[in-house]
Each structure stands twice: as structure tokens, then as C-alpha cells.
Amino acid sequence: MNSDLEITPAEWQVMRVVWSLRQTTSSQIIEILQQKVEWKPATIKTLLRRLVDKEALSATRQGRGFIYEPLVPEQQTMDQAADNLFNNICERHVGSTLEHVINNATLSKDDIASLQKLLASKVANSPDNVKCNCIPHMQMKC
Amino acid sequence: MNSDLEITPAEWQVMRVVWSLRQTTSSQIIEILQQKVEWKPATIKTLLRRLVDKEALSATRQGRGFIYEPLVPEQQTMDQAADNLFNNICERHVGSTLEHVINNATLSKDDIASLQKLLASKVANSPDNVKCNCIPHMQMKC
DNA sequence: ATAAATAATTTACATCTGTAAACGCAGGAG
DNA sequence: CTCCTGCGTTTACAGATGTAAATTATTTAT
């Protein structure tokens, strides 16, 4: 389906509000976002329009305005964004980058338990070291 | 220092080659990258210039051309890119996003061991659940 | 009904990105 | 010494992004 959805940082702010409220109006989004960022209402309307254009949100007419709702699931969108990032970086360094992220993240006990379980399940089939994939046909240490 | 360095996806490709070779010339970069992507030499030269402009690379004259070297450490740059991404997404979902990434990643046994150790050390001070930080002053479940 | 408020649509515009051709210069081939 | 060739520099240009004013259509209070 719609697997190639690109959400810009500014648009993420809007999406997060809509995902949180599940269903909302432009004025509510504007009111909420103005507590977080210094954007004029017109700016937020532009972002809303672009998100509707790229089919990240639906807009259903309701009287004067629209009701906005997410057309893409939050987790899936985050996973995709993470994939894009980790595709840019060297495979050899994914582990250390994850370490950095985990170090700075707030994780719940359940999150930690899940990750521990996942890691434990991966260890058996894990290589002794990961090869750098920065340069084709050549093993670099980068 | 230079904490606000923005590397675009196209530029990442170039940086990875330079990080791998540690020190190289434009022709070598071009040769290597053409095995990976469909870019004309001129394109790669533009990217090199932009990277030098934003002080991600240094260019030291050597005869006809330049020797290019990274001015920023690879791991630091990756960490920063990861921070940017994870700042966009809801804190409540960082755990599940990490799970997705780890699931698809190739990690070495050492990587896994490090992560396990880190997680174990975090569990004591971890909350029972993470609060959604998408909407200010309001606890949403998003 | 009219005016005031509001929501959406249109238009704007500078900067960033991806992608590259064209141009100019220095050094090696002949 | 002259021409080709590879490298860097300049210029280009469309589409994406951040940011927003202006305009238009619609409502609702008076």
C-alpha cells in the first residue's frame, strides 16, 4: 500500500496531535500546537493540507470545517522512519547507535522486558561481528 | 562545537565512503559510489562541495585535486541523527520502535551483550509506563 | 440582514535537496 | 609546445520544506 510516506519533522508535530486525539479539528490542533511551537495558524493549516495531500490524514467535512483523522498507524509510521534512518548508517554501527538511543531513552519496565526477550532470542543466530556495508565488494573496517 | 550538523540521505552515502577510507580523493569516491548508486560524477562533486561547506569534510589540496577527510566522527554523527529521529516520535513509543529496529538489524554477539547489560542497568530506575509527550499539559494515551 | 469571526484555499517566498550540465584550468601524452 | 583529460568551480533547475500573508467562503451573534 502506502509504504513510501514521507513525514517531515514539522509534519510530525501535527501528526502526533492527531494521533493523540484520534479525531479532531484544525482549531483544536492549532490551539494545542501553539503551546509547543511558535507557529502561526496559517502554518499549521499548510501542514494539514500537505498531510491530507499525501494521504497521511483524512479530512471529513463537518459543518464549517473538517474533522481530521489519521490514515496511517502511528507505530507503522515510526517504524518506517526508523528504517529510513538506519538504512543511511553503516550496519556495523547499528548496535552502538542503538546503545546511544537506549541510554538516553525513557523505557518502561515492560519495554525493557520485551527488548531483553528479543535480544535473548537473537543471540543464537548472531554473528561474531557485523560487516561494514559502506563500500561494495570490499570489506572495510570503517 | 558543531552540534547542529545536518547530513542529508544523499550526503550520507558520500560520508560513509570517506569514513571507510578515512582519507581519499574525489575520483575514488566517485568510482566507489557508482557501484552503489546511479549518480553522475557531477552529482557527487556537488555533494562533496556541500559537505565541505558544512564542515563535515576537509579538503586538502594535493596536486591537481584534494584529499578529503572526515571532520566529524562517524559514531557521533549517527547518534545525532538517531536523536533527531527519536525526538520526533512519541516517547511512549520509543520502546516499540527500538524493538522493530532490533528485530530487523544484524547485531553481533558483542552488540547484543552490550545492549543486554545496558538494559539490565536501566531496569531498576525505569517507570512502569512512559507518558505520552505529544500534547503539552495533558496526559493522552495516544 | 449585517457585521464579525472563523475555517479553508490560494499565493508567496526563501532555503534545502537531488541531480546534473557547462566551464575553466592544470598536468600528462605525444 | 599543444591538446586532451580529469578535477574543481559555477550555474541550473525542479521539487520539498518551513513559514506565513492574503483572499474567499461560511457562520453566527446582534
Side-chain angles (χ1 to χ4, degrees), chain A residues 86-104:
Chain A
F86 282 92
N87 278 337
N88 285 338
I89 80 180
C90 175
E91 247 186 18
R92 257 172 66 74
H93 295 242
V94 168
S96 35
T97 304
L98 285 171
E99 203 168 336
H100 169 81
V101 171
I102 291 175
N103 212 81
N104 293 20

Side-chain angles (χ1 to χ4, degrees), chain B residues 82-134:
Chain B
D83 288 344
N84 286 341
L85 169 72
F86 282 92
N87 277 335
N88 284 338
I89 79 181
C90 176
E91 249 186 18
R92 257 171 68 75
H93 296 242
V94 167
S96 36
T97 305
L98 286 170
E99 202 166 337
H100 170 80
V101 171
I102 290 175
N103 212 81
N104 294 20
T106 302
L107 297 174
S108 72
K109 291 192 196 306
D110 284 352
D111 286 334
I112 293 179
S114 298
L115 292 173
Q116 284 176 321
K117 192 162 159 228
L118 175 57
L119 287 170
S121 82
K122 288 200 74 147
V123 75
N125 285 61
S126 66
D128 284 330
N129 46 45
V130 180
K131 290 172 284 60
C132 161
N133 65 336
C134 294

Side-chain angles (χ1 to χ4, degrees), chain B residues 67-87:
Chain B
I67 298 288
Y68 294 92
E69 287 175 273
L71 283 179
V72 292
E74 182 171 26
Q75 185 63 53
Q76 187 195 102
T77 307
M78 295 189 303
D79 289 349
Q80 225 177 258
D83 288 344
N84 286 341
L85 169 72
F86 282 92
N87 277 335

